[in-house]
Amino acid sequence: MNASSIGNGPASIRSINVGANLLSEWTSNQIRFRSEANRYALGIGICLLALAVGIPTIAKARTAHESQIKQHQVALAELKGHLDQANAAKTAVEPKIATTELIAQTSSYFNRLLGELYAVLESGKSGIAFSSAKIEVRAAEILITCRADAESYESAATFAETAGQTPNKVSTLSSTRPSELLSPIGISFEYLKRVPVQ
């Protein structure tokens, strides 16, 4: 047993190896750095792989989208062409439609005029001889004038009453004078009938 004169044992000397501590810390730092670098490299690799797969997919989708846009543009141009043709056909047909409507309206007015004139002439079947008849349209009314001879004034009055059987009309005898064309008591007269155009 080692002991000093005063009874204490020998002092133990501890040595600190600084180089070993630095090496150990450097080694652990290197391991940590390599681990971080490997993790970042793996992340970058995954990103690059995703880009390598995604870019062609995006490019294909873009190409398909551009192709669809071109197809829609072609279809739109065709529709515009059809619309222009339809408008041109409509423009070409509109005058024909207007002409057809005008002809129908004119035919209706003409038939109305003939009907009114025929009604007047048909009223003079008995004891009346017409020398002239005229029909006109003035200021939204039909104007019928006749010159005729009658066997008697009564025949002329009966004719005027029968010929005037149209609603909202004016029917009158005018310019009566004796005429022996049909009988010794006969007269010559002018007849006027006004009928509003409806």
Side-chain angles (χ1 to χ4, degrees), residues 112-151:
R112 170 83 188 280
L113 293 175
L114 285 182
E116 292 291 344
L117 182 61
Y118 180 77
V120 170
L121 296 178
E122 192 68 15
S123 301
K125 286 182 177 179
S126 176
I128 303 290
F130 292 100
S131 58
S132 68
K134 183 169 71 170
I135 186 167
E136 299 176 85
V137 178
R138 292 184 190 170
E141 69 177 1
I142 299 170
L143 179 64
I144 300 172
T145 55
C146 299
R147 290 175 185 257
D149 290 289
E151 291 179 346

mmCIF file of all heavy atoms in Angstrom, residues 112-151:
data_model
loop_
_atom_site.group_PDB
_atom_site.id
_atom_site.type_symbol
_atom_site.label_atom_id
_atom_site.label_comp_id
_atom_site.label_asym_id
_atom_site.label_seq_id
_atom_site.Cartn_x
_atom_site.Cartn_y
_atom_site.Cartn_z
ATOM 1 N N ARG A 112 -112.328 42.432 -102.003
ATOM 2 C CA ARG A 112 -113.318 43.256 -101.300
ATOM 3 C C ARG A 112 -113.937 44.273 -102.263
ATOM 4 O O ARG A 112 -115.159 44.485 -102.265
ATOM 5 C CB ARG A 112 -112.629 43.960 -100.141
ATOM 6 C CG ARG A 112 -113.464 45.036 -99.462
ATOM 7 C CD ARG A 112 -114.421 44.459 -98.445
ATOM 8 N NE ARG A 112 -115.341 45.455 -97.940
ATOM 9 C CZ ARG A 112 -115.053 46.338 -96.999
ATOM 10 N NH1 ARG A 112 -113.861 46.374 -96.440
ATOM 11 N NH2 ARG A 112 -115.976 47.186 -96.599
ATOM 12 N N LEU A 113 -113.105 44.914 -103.090
ATOM 13 C CA LEU A 113 -113.616 45.886 -104.062
ATOM 14 C C LEU A 113 -114.577 45.233 -105.046
ATOM 15 O O LEU A 113 -115.671 45.756 -105.325
ATOM 16 C CB LEU A 113 -112.458 46.533 -104.821
ATOM 17 C CG LEU A 113 -111.513 47.434 -104.028
ATOM 18 C CD1 LEU A 113 -110.354 47.890 -104.902
ATOM 19 C CD2 LEU A 113 -112.258 48.641 -103.490
ATOM 20 N N LEU A 114 -114.148 44.086 -105.569
ATOM 21 C CA LEU A 114 -115.029 43.389 -106.524
ATOM 22 C C LEU A 114 -116.332 42.972 -105.858
ATOM 23 O O LEU A 114 -117.405 43.040 -106.470
ATOM 24 C CB LEU A 114 -114.310 42.156 -107.084
ATOM 25 C CG LEU A 114 -113.222 42.417 -108.122
ATOM 26 C CD1 LEU A 114 -112.647 41.101 -108.619
ATOM 27 C CD2 LEU A 114 -113.756 43.229 -109.295
ATOM 28 N N GLY A 115 -116.235 42.528 -104.604
ATOM 29 C CA GLY A 115 -117.456 42.134 -103.883
ATOM 30 C C GLY A 115 -118.416 43.289 -103.711
ATOM 31 O O GLY A 115 -119.636 43.132 -103.903
ATOM 32 N N GLU A 116 -117.871 44.469 -103.349
ATOM 33 C CA GLU A 116 -118.737 45.643 -103.182
ATOM 34 C C GLU A 116 -119.363 46.052 -104.516
ATOM 35 O O GLU A 116 -120.568 46.361 -104.592
ATOM 36 C CB GLU A 116 -117.943 46.808 -102.599
ATOM 37 C CG GLU A 116 -117.491 46.611 -101.167
ATOM 38 C CD GLU A 116 -118.647 46.637 -100.187
ATOM 39 O OE1 GLU A 116 -119.748 47.100 -100.545
ATOM 40 O OE2 GLU A 116 -118.453 46.180 -99.047
ATOM 41 N N LEU A 117 -118.570 46.063 -105.592
ATOM 42 C CA LEU A 117 -119.110 46.425 -106.911
ATOM 43 C C LEU A 117 -120.142 45.408 -107.388
ATOM 44 O O LEU A 117 -121.208 45.779 -107.918
ATOM 45 C CB LEU A 117 -117.963 46.546 -107.925
ATOM 46 C CG LEU A 117 -118.373 46.957 -109.345
ATOM 47 C CD1 LEU A 117 -119.036 48.330 -109.345
ATOM 48 C CD2 LEU A 117 -117.167 46.940 -110.271
ATOM 49 N N TYR A 118 -119.859 44.135 -107.177
ATOM 50 C CA TYR A 118 -120.789 43.090 -107.591
ATOM 51 C C TYR A 118 -122.113 43.214 -106.829
ATOM 52 O O TYR A 118 -123.192 43.030 -107.407
ATOM 53 C CB TYR A 118 -120.163 41.712 -107.357
ATOM 54 C CG TYR A 118 -121.046 40.572 -107.761
ATOM 55 C CD1 TYR A 118 -121.202 40.233 -109.103
ATOM 56 C CD2 TYR A 118 -121.747 39.826 -106.812
ATOM 57 C CE1 TYR A 118 -122.030 39.186 -109.492
ATOM 58 C CE2 TYR A 118 -122.570 38.779 -107.186
ATOM 59 C CZ TYR A 118 -122.711 38.466 -108.528
ATOM 60 O OH TYR A 118 -123.528 37.439 -108.901
ATOM 61 N N ALA A 119 -122.032 43.544 -105.523
ATOM 62 C CA ALA A 119 -123.258 43.708 -104.723
ATOM 63 C C ALA A 119 -124.113 44.838 -105.279
ATOM 64 O O ALA A 119 -125.352 44.745 -105.333
ATOM 65 C CB ALA A 119 -122.897 43.969 -103.259
ATOM 66 N N VAL A 120 -123.477 45.933 -105.721
ATOM 67 C CA VAL A 120 -124.227 47.057 -106.293
ATOM 68 C C VAL A 120 -124.860 46.653 -107.625
ATOM 69 O O VAL A 120 -126.062 46.888 -107.869
ATOM 70 C CB VAL A 120 -123.316 48.292 -106.470
ATOM 71 C CG1 VAL A 120 -124.023 49.364 -107.293
ATOM 72 C CG2 VAL A 120 -122.902 48.841 -105.121
ATOM 73 N N LEU A 121 -124.084 46.044 -108.506
ATOM 74 C CA LEU A 121 -124.602 45.671 -109.822
ATOM 75 C C LEU A 121 -125.682 44.598 -109.712
ATOM 76 O O LEU A 121 -126.656 44.594 -110.476
ATOM 77 C CB LEU A 121 -123.463 45.185 -110.714
ATOM 78 C CG LEU A 121 -122.383 46.226 -111.050
ATOM 79 C CD1 LEU A 121 -121.292 45.604 -111.905
ATOM 80 C CD2 LEU A 121 -122.988 47.442 -111.747
ATOM 81 N N GLU A 122 -125.511 43.697 -108.763
ATOM 82 C CA GLU A 122 -126.497 42.632 -108.571
ATOM 83 C C GLU A 122 -127.836 43.186 -108.063
ATOM 84 O O GLU A 122 -128.891 42.598 -108.299
ATOM 85 C CB GLU A 122 -125.918 41.609 -107.570
ATOM 86 C CG GLU A 122 -126.676 40.319 -107.472
ATOM 87 C CD GLU A 122 -126.607 39.445 -108.724
ATOM 88 O OE1 GLU A 122 -125.759 39.662 -109.614
ATOM 89 O OE2 GLU A 122 -127.446 38.544 -108.812
ATOM 90 N N SER A 123 -127.777 44.343 -107.413
ATOM 91 C CA SER A 123 -129.018 44.951 -106.897
ATOM 92 C C SER A 123 -129.877 45.527 -108.012
ATOM 93 O O SER A 123 -131.049 45.847 -107.792
ATOM 94 C CB SER A 123 -128.669 46.062 -105.893
ATOM 95 O OG SER A 123 -127.928 45.556 -104.825
ATOM 96 N N GLY A 124 -129.325 45.720 -109.181
ATOM 97 C CA GLY A 124 -130.077 46.323 -110.291
ATOM 98 C C GLY A 124 -130.571 45.317 -111.292
ATOM 99 O O GLY A 124 -130.590 45.601 -112.492
ATOM 100 N N LYS A 125 -130.974 44.136 -110.853
ATOM 101 C CA LYS A 125 -131.434 43.105 -111.786
ATOM 102 C C LYS A 125 -132.748 43.482 -112.467
ATOM 103 O O LYS A 125 -132.934 43.227 -113.642
ATOM 104 C CB LYS A 125 -131.633 41.788 -111.026
ATOM 105 C CG LYS A 125 -130.360 41.081 -110.648
ATOM 106 C CD LYS A 125 -130.682 39.762 -109.951
ATOM 107 C CE LYS A 125 -129.423 39.009 -109.621
ATOM 108 N NZ LYS A 125 -129.719 37.747 -108.916
ATOM 109 N N SER A 126 -133.663 44.057 -111.713
ATOM 110 C CA SER A 126 -135.009 44.288 -112.253
ATOM 111 C C SER A 126 -135.247 45.778 -112.524
ATOM 112 O O SER A 126 -135.140 46.596 -111.609
ATOM 113 C CB SER A 126 -136.051 43.774 -111.248
ATOM 114 O OG SER A 126 -137.354 44.065 -111.686
ATOM 115 N N GLY A 127 -135.540 46.114 -113.776
ATOM 116 C CA GLY A 127 -135.938 47.462 -114.155
ATOM 117 C C GLY A 127 -134.821 48.477 -114.151
ATOM 118 O O GLY A 127 -135.085 49.678 -114.134
ATOM 119 N N ILE A 128 -133.534 48.046 -114.181
ATOM 120 C CA ILE A 128 -132.395 48.973 -114.180
ATOM 121 C C ILE A 128 -131.462 48.596 -115.327
ATOM 122 O O ILE A 128 -131.192 47.424 -115.574
ATOM 123 C CB ILE A 128 -131.608 48.898 -112.847
ATOM 124 C CG1 ILE A 128 -132.509 49.194 -111.649
ATOM 125 C CG2 ILE A 128 -130.400 49.826 -112.854
ATOM 126 C CD1 ILE A 128 -132.968 50.617 -111.540
ATOM 127 N N ALA A 129 -130.954 49.624 -116.038
ATOM 128 C CA ALA A 129 -129.946 49.418 -117.088
ATOM 129 C C ALA A 129 -128.773 50.353 -116.806
ATOM 130 O O ALA A 129 -128.940 51.574 -116.762
ATOM 131 C CB ALA A 129 -130.548 49.704 -118.456
ATOM 132 N N PHE A 130 -127.587 49.749 -116.576
ATOM 133 C CA PHE A 130 -126.400 50.544 -116.259
ATOM 134 C C PHE A 130 -125.711 51.028 -117.522
ATOM 135 O O PHE A 130 -125.579 50.284 -118.498
ATOM 136 C CB PHE A 130 -125.400 49.709 -115.449
ATOM 137 C CG PHE A 130 -125.871 49.365 -114.062
ATOM 138 C CD1 PHE A 130 -126.412 48.123 -113.780
ATOM 139 C CD2 PHE A 130 -125.781 50.292 -113.032
ATOM 140 C CE1 PHE A 130 -126.851 47.802 -112.516
ATOM 141 C CE2 PHE A 130 -126.216 49.979 -111.762
ATOM 142 C CZ PHE A 130 -126.757 48.730 -111.498
ATOM 143 N N SER A 131 -125.316 52.288 -117.516
ATOM 144 C CA SER A 131 -124.513 52.813 -118.626
ATOM 145 C C SER A 131 -123.027 52.895 -118.241
ATOM 146 O O SER A 131 -122.156 52.840 -119.104
ATOM 147 C CB SER A 131 -125.018 54.190 -119.046
ATOM 148 O OG SER A 131 -124.983 55.094 -117.953
ATOM 149 N N SER A 132 -122.734 53.010 -116.929
ATOM 150 C CA SER A 132 -121.329 53.003 -116.479
ATOM 151 C C SER A 132 -121.290 52.701 -114.983
ATOM 152 O O SER A 132 -122.256 52.918 -114.261
ATOM 153 C CB SER A 132 -120.642 54.347 -116.753
ATOM 154 O OG SER A 132 -121.195 55.362 -115.929
ATOM 155 N N ALA A 133 -120.159 52.178 -114.561
ATOM 156 C CA ALA A 133 -119.933 51.916 -113.128
ATOM 157 C C ALA A 133 -118.438 52.102 -112.869
ATOM 158 O O ALA A 133 -117.595 51.705 -113.681
ATOM 159 C CB ALA A 133 -120.374 50.512 -112.754
ATOM 160 N N LYS A 134 -118.134 52.714 -111.755
ATOM 161 C CA LYS A 134 -116.731 52.996 -111.429
ATOM 162 C C LYS A 134 -116.522 52.759 -109.936
ATOM 163 O O LYS A 134 -117.389 53.085 -109.117
ATOM 164 C CB LYS A 134 -116.386 54.437 -111.792
ATOM 165 C CG LYS A 134 -114.918 54.786 -111.554
ATOM 166 C CD LYS A 134 -114.547 56.139 -112.165
ATOM 167 C CE LYS A 134 -115.168 57.274 -111.400
ATOM 168 N NZ LYS A 134 -114.652 58.601 -111.808
ATOM 169 N N ILE A 135 -115.360 52.205 -109.593
ATOM 170 C CA ILE A 135 -115.015 51.974 -108.189
ATOM 171 C C ILE A 135 -113.629 52.547 -107.917
ATOM 172 O O ILE A 135 -112.711 52.398 -108.733
ATOM 173 C CB ILE A 135 -115.088 50.463 -107.827
ATOM 174 C CG1 ILE A 135 -114.870 50.252 -106.331
ATOM 175 C CG2 ILE A 135 -114.082 49.656 -108.623
ATOM 176 C CD1 ILE A 135 -115.238 48.860 -105.862
ATOM 177 N N GLU A 136 -113.500 53.243 -106.797
ATOM 178 C CA GLU A 136 -112.231 53.863 -106.413
ATOM 179 C C GLU A 136 -112.020 53.683 -104.909
ATOM 180 O O GLU A 136 -112.966 53.442 -104.171
ATOM 181 C CB GLU A 136 -112.240 55.366 -106.714
ATOM 182 C CG GLU A 136 -112.427 55.729 -108.164
ATOM 183 C CD GLU A 136 -112.531 57.233 -108.339
ATOM 184 O OE1 GLU A 136 -111.482 57.886 -108.443
ATOM 185 O OE2 GLU A 136 -113.679 57.722 -108.332
ATOM 186 N N VAL A 137 -110.766 53.852 -104.494
ATOM 187 C CA VAL A 137 -110.443 53.876 -103.067
ATOM 188 C C VAL A 137 -109.843 55.233 -102.765
ATOM 189 O O VAL A 137 -108.824 55.621 -103.333
ATOM 190 C CB VAL A 137 -109.451 52.754 -102.682
ATOM 191 C CG1 VAL A 137 -109.092 52.846 -101.202
ATOM 192 C CG2 VAL A 137 -110.031 51.388 -103.011
ATOM 193 N N ARG A 138 -110.520 55.978 -101.893
ATOM 194 C CA ARG A 138 -110.050 57.316 -101.523
ATOM 195 C C ARG A 138 -110.141 57.488 -100.014
ATOM 196 O O ARG A 138 -111.200 57.223 -99.432
ATOM 197 C CB ARG A 138 -110.924 58.396 -102.156
ATOM 198 C CG ARG A 138 -110.836 58.503 -103.640
ATOM 199 C CD ARG A 138 -111.684 59.670 -104.096
ATOM 200 N NE ARG A 138 -111.853 59.711 -105.523
ATOM 201 C CZ ARG A 138 -112.711 60.529 -106.127
ATOM 202 N NH1 ARG A 138 -113.469 61.325 -105.412
ATOM 203 N NH2 ARG A 138 -112.817 60.528 -107.433
ATOM 204 N N ALA A 139 -109.081 57.958 -99.407
ATOM 205 C CA ALA A 139 -109.075 58.310 -97.980
ATOM 206 C C ALA A 139 -109.700 57.209 -97.129
ATOM 207 O O ALA A 139 -110.614 57.443 -96.354
ATOM 208 C CB ALA A 139 -109.777 59.631 -97.753
ATOM 209 N N ALA A 140 -109.230 55.983 -97.321
ATOM 210 C CA ALA A 140 -109.648 54.823 -96.524
ATOM 211 C C ALA A 140 -111.128 54.492 -96.678
ATOM 212 O O ALA A 140 -111.774 54.000 -95.750
ATOM 213 C CB ALA A 140 -109.312 55.020 -95.052
ATOM 214 N N GLU A 141 -111.672 54.772 -97.854
ATOM 215 C CA GLU A 141 -113.042 54.345 -98.106
ATOM 216 C C GLU A 141 -113.178 53.936 -99.568
ATOM 217 O O GLU A 141 -112.446 54.401 -100.444
ATOM 218 C CB GLU A 141 -114.058 55.443 -97.759
ATOM 219 C CG GLU A 141 -114.030 56.631 -98.679
ATOM 220 C CD GLU A 141 -115.119 57.647 -98.330
ATOM 221 O OE1 GLU A 141 -115.852 57.411 -97.363
ATOM 222 O OE2 GLU A 141 -115.221 58.646 -99.056
ATOM 223 N N ILE A 142 -114.118 53.020 -99.796
ATOM 224 C CA ILE A 142 -114.431 52.569 -101.157
ATOM 225 C C ILE A 142 -115.548 53.450 -101.695
ATOM 226 O O ILE A 142 -116.576 53.642 -101.035
ATOM 227 C CB ILE A 142 -114.871 51.095 -101.147
ATOM 228 C CG1 ILE A 142 -113.748 50.203 -100.596
ATOM 229 C CG2 ILE A 142 -115.281 50.635 -102.546
ATOM 230 C CD1 ILE A 142 -114.185 48.774 -100.341
ATOM 231 N N LEU A 143 -115.315 54.010 -102.882
ATOM 232 C CA LEU A 143 -116.299 54.912 -103.501
ATOM 233 C C LEU A 143 -116.780 54.267 -104.804
ATOM 234 O O LEU A 143 -115.994 54.017 -105.720
ATOM 235 C CB LEU A 143 -115.648 56.267 -103.787
ATOM 236 C CG LEU A 143 -116.521 57.320 -104.451
ATOM 237 C CD1 LEU A 143 -117.670 57.708 -103.539
ATOM 238 C CD2 LEU A 143 -115.685 58.542 -104.797
ATOM 239 N N ILE A 144 -118.095 53.976 -104.870
ATOM 240 C CA ILE A 144 -118.691 53.363 -106.061
ATOM 241 C C ILE A 144 -119.682 54.360 -106.665
ATOM 242 O O ILE A 144 -120.575 54.865 -105.971
ATOM 243 C CB ILE A 144 -119.437 52.058 -105.712
ATOM 244 C CG1 ILE A 144 -118.461 51.056 -105.082
ATOM 245 C CG2 ILE A 144 -120.089 51.454 -106.953
ATOM 246 C CD1 ILE A 144 -119.127 49.826 -104.528
ATOM 247 N N THR A 145 -119.500 54.655 -107.944
ATOM 248 C CA THR A 145 -120.431 55.550 -108.650
ATOM 249 C C THR A 145 -120.971 54.824 -109.881
ATOM 250 O O THR A 145 -120.216 54.114 -110.563
ATOM 251 C CB THR A 145 -119.737 56.860 -109.067
ATOM 252 O OG1 THR A 145 -118.564 56.545 -109.835
ATOM 253 C CG2 THR A 145 -119.337 57.675 -107.859
ATOM 254 N N CYS A 146 -122.257 55.022 -110.142
ATOM 255 C CA CYS A 146 -122.908 54.377 -111.289
ATOM 256 C C CYS A 146 -123.799 55.387 -112.003
ATOM 257 O O CYS A 146 -124.384 56.281 -111.374
ATOM 258 C CB CYS A 146 -123.787 53.207 -110.833
ATOM 259 S SG CYS A 146 -122.914 51.900 -109.995
ATOM 260 N N ARG A 147 -123.937 55.222 -113.313
ATOM 261 C CA ARG A 147 -124.947 55.922 -114.114
ATOM 262 C C ARG A 147 -125.865 54.844 -114.673
ATOM 263 O O ARG A 147 -125.396 53.840 -115.204
ATOM 264 C CB ARG A 147 -124.310 56.701 -115.242
ATOM 265 C CG ARG A 147 -123.528 57.909 -114.793
ATOM 266 C CD ARG A 147 -122.810 58.558 -115.973
ATOM 267 N NE ARG A 147 -121.976 59.640 -115.517
ATOM 268 C CZ ARG A 147 -122.281 60.927 -115.636
ATOM 269 N NH1 ARG A 147 -123.425 61.285 -116.185
ATOM 270 N NH2 ARG A 147 -121.470 61.850 -115.200
ATOM 271 N N ALA A 148 -127.158 55.089 -114.516
ATOM 272 C CA ALA A 148 -128.106 54.059 -114.946
ATOM 273 C C ALA A 148 -129.449 54.691 -115.300
ATOM 274 O O ALA A 148 -129.712 55.850 -114.974
ATOM 275 C CB ALA A 148 -128.285 53.019 -113.841
ATOM 276 N N ASP A 149 -130.265 53.890 -115.971
ATOM 277 C CA ASP A 149 -131.645 54.255 -116.277
ATOM 278 C C ASP A 149 -132.554 53.264 -115.560
ATOM 279 O O ASP A 149 -132.226 52.068 -115.453
ATOM 280 C CB ASP A 149 -131.896 54.209 -117.788
ATOM 281 C CG ASP A 149 -131.166 55.330 -118.522
ATOM 282 O OD1 ASP A 149 -131.597 56.478 -118.371
ATOM 283 O OD2 ASP A 149 -130.153 55.043 -119.194
ATOM 284 N N ALA A 150 -133.696 53.786 -115.068
ATOM 285 C CA ALA A 150 -134.662 52.935 -114.372
ATOM 286 C C ALA A 150 -136.025 53.079 -115.014
ATOM 287 O O ALA A 150 -136.342 54.112 -115.622
ATOM 288 C CB ALA A 150 -134.722 53.325 -112.893
ATOM 289 N N GLU A 151 -136.856 52.016 -114.875
ATOM 290 C CA GLU A 151 -138.210 52.045 -115.431
ATOM 291 C C GLU A 151 -139.079 53.071 -114.712
ATOM 292 O O GLU A 151 -140.001 53.623 -115.294
ATOM 293 C CB GLU A 151 -138.867 50.669 -115.311
ATOM 294 C CG GLU A 151 -138.235 49.627 -116.209
ATOM 295 C CD GLU A 151 -138.884 48.262 -116.050
ATOM 296 O OE1 GLU A 151 -139.643 48.072 -115.065
ATOM 297 O OE2 GLU A 151 -138.627 47.403 -116.893
#
